[in-house]
Amino acid sequence: MTHRNSTESLDLVAGELVEVASREEILSTLDQNGKLDSMPFMPEMLQYCGKRFRVFMRADKTCDNIKQWSLRRAKNAVHLTGVRCDGTSHGNCDAGCLLFWNEAWLKKVAPDFVSASQVAQPALASSPDPRTDLTCTEQRLRESALRPDPLVPGNTLYTCQATELREFTSHLYWWDIRQYFRDIRSGNLRRGVGGDSKSERLLEVVLGILEVVRSLIITAFNKLQELRSGVHYPHIEGLLDTTPTCDLNLQPGEFVLVRTKDEILATLDHNNKNRGLLFDSEMVRYCGGTFRVLKRVNQIVDERTGKIMKMKSSCIILEGVACVSEYHRLCPRAIYHYWREAWLRRAE
């Protein structure tokens, strides 16, 4: 295992094995608000301390939904495979966001140091004795997730990585070509089906370049269409004034079939929404597929305000069904898609 100074960059790439530092090591990097370089370390992340994971993707860029959609530049951060927020310290938020990990909170692990069965398991080394000289303690960390509502006395607002995203990122222009070089170099675009031979690695690079070129063409086309008031690719157009409801009472573990694109379009209004929920272009790829219900979404933290937002209509998350940013400049954030039950039917 490689130990390092917290100011150094690990320069991690997708697929690398890492170990999350101990609680004391991570707390020692945080300010009194539980942040490092303005990035919050959330209480939900403590459960992963001392465990090992694969890097899912580098988080060199990320989508911003707080204001009008855009991409933001992040530094020295990665996402870990399968490591999502469970919302327990944020009003039981059901969003299941993929967590950001500053590289200062991670350690590289040699590939032959552990077996595959040990990934996502606690490290063997014992934790040091709790420190008393920390600027940020666990109690302070939990307190930093909450703040009073200045407009409603007695009401609680929440602070998390999603609400603070603009604080630890900077604007990223679509034409900044460096982001696409980082996408290729980081391994974010690897398909993971090739071997370790030089020819296969070269093929992975070529395929990554083609994916970047495709993304640039789609982005340029949609920018041009905006200027001439044309339709975006892929084209989605709802026509209803009032959208239908559907209550299947789907439960976690059930299998469902996502309806066809045309069937879903028939449930959308002029803003491509059903009961206020957007059917996004990234969801088209899942039409016609069969998936398992992961959970029902009852409430989420509104990243714009920090308020808990209750869902008025049924909303479903499906296992493994997340945004791949095919039409949004290859953002690696992998946000879960939310599905209306009107867009699904039980698999027979």
Side-chain angles (χ1 to χ4, degrees):
M1 185 185 306
T2 304
H3 295 271
R4 66 189 187 88
N5 186 292
S6 62
T7 60
E8 298 174 358
S9 172
L10 288 179
D11 199 25
L12 295 168
V13 298
E16 278 199 86
L17 185 62
V18 296
E19 180 182 310
V20 180
S22 69
R23 295 186 178 207
E24 288 75 15
E25 288 173 314
I26 291 177
L27 290 173
S28 69
T29 70
L30 306 179
D31 62 21
Q32 61 181 357
N33 296 314
K35 299 178 181 180
L36 173 60
D37 297 333
S38 298
M39 179 186 289
F41 182 86
M42 295 158 53
E44 289 90 345
M45 301 168 75
L46 288 169
Q47 62 186 299
Y48 301 112
C49 290
K51 295 183 180 180
R52 301 184 179 104
F53 301 92
R54 296 282 178 189
V55 173
F56 172 58
M57 289 188 183
R58 283 200 65 84
D60 290 325
K61 59 184 178 183
T62 189
C63 55
D64 171 24
N65 295 307
I66 296 176
K67 295 187 177 181
Q68 184 176 6
W69 187 91
S70 66
L71 276 189
R72 308 278 296 179
R73 171 79 164 104
K75 295 183 178 180
N76 300 327
V78 298
H79 298 300
L80 302 181
T81 301
V83 181
R84 291 180 177 268
C85 177
D86 61 18
T88 51
S89 293
H90 290 81
N92 293 316
C93 171
D94 291 319
C97 296
L98 202 59
L99 294 166
F100 290 87
W101 294 87
N102 190 296
E103 290 184 321
W105 303 333
L106 305 172
K107 305 171 185 178
K108 282 188 177 183
V109 177
D112 57 350
F113 189 77
V114 293
S115 64
S117 63
Q118 288 178 289
V119 177
Q121 296 299 317
L124 299 178
S126 59
S127 299
D129 293 333
R131 290 173 50 181
T132 59
D133 61 339
L134 298 172
T135 302
C136 182
T137 62
E138 286 191 30
Q139 180 179 349
R140 177 59 192 142
L141 189 68
R142 298 182 192 283
E143 292 172 351
S144 67
L146 312 173
R147 56 189 174 92
D149 188 337
L151 301 179
V152 183
N155 194 33
T156 299
L157 301 181
Y158 294 93
T159 298
C160 66
Q161 291 182 340
T163 65
E164 302 301 294
L165 184 136
R166 294 180 67 87
E167 300 302 315
F168 63 86
T169 60
S170 57
H171 184 71
L172 181 62
Y173 293 99
W174 74 270
W175 41 260
D176 186 344
I177 198 69
R178 293 173 296 179
Q179 65 182 288
Y180 305 109
F181 284 110
R182 287 191 292 265
D183 288 336
I184 296 170
R185 181 179 176 275
S186 67
N188 281 9
L189 303 183
R190 291 177 189 161
R191 286 162 171 76
V193 296
D196 292 328
S197 68
K198 289 184 179 180
S199 58
E200 288 175 306
R201 289 199 298 270
L202 176 60
L203 179 60
E204 288 276 13
V205 171
V206 172
L207 292 175
I209 292 172
L210 292 176
E211 193 163 346
V212 165
V213 171
R214 181 178 184 274
S215 175
L216 282 169
I217 291 173
I218 291 173
T219 300
F221 173 81
N222 286 337
K223 291 289 184 183
L224 178 62
Q225 290 295 86
E226 287 178 9
L227 293 175
R228 57 190 297 270
S229 300
V231 298
H232 277 204
Y233 177 84
H235 179 49
I236 298 174
E237 185 177 11
L239 300 174
L240 301 181
D241 294 319
T242 303
T243 56
T245 60
C246 178
D247 185 9
L248 300 179
N249 193 29
L250 294 170
Q251 299 300 317
E254 289 192 79
F255 282 93
V256 295
L257 179 69
V258 178
R259 294 183 180 274
T260 66
K261 178 184 174 183
D262 288 341
E263 288 177 316
I264 292 176
L265 291 182
T267 71
L268 305 180
D269 63 17
H270 298 279
N271 295 314
N272 296 333
K273 295 180 179 180
N274 177 282
R275 316 298 291 182
L277 183 64
L278 177 70
F279 181 75
D280 189 79
S281 58
E282 300 288 348
M283 302 169 76
V284 173
R285 64 171 23 236
Y286 298 108
C287 289
T290 300
F291 305 94
R292 189 195 300 265
V293 174
L294 178 64
K295 62 179 176 180
R296 298 181 67 88
V297 179
N298 298 309
Q299 57 192 19
I300 60 173
V301 172
D302 184 346
E303 54 202 305
R304 295 176 176 86
T305 65
K307 295 179 180 179
I308 282 289
M309 184 167 58
K310 303 283 186 179
M311 294 297 181
K312 296 179 180 179
S313 301
S314 61
C315 185
I316 304 296
I317 289 178
L318 304 177
E319 282 188 16
V321 178
C323 179
V324 298
S325 204
E326 190 174 8
Y327 310 112
H328 293 84
R329 292 162 47 195
L330 308 176
C331 167
R333 196 173 174 185
I335 295 174
Y336 278 137
H337 290 306
Y338 296 165
W339 299 86
R340 285 282 185 245
E341 289 186 319
W343 303 339
L344 309 170
R345 61 169 172 260
R346 281 189 171 87
E348 298 178 356

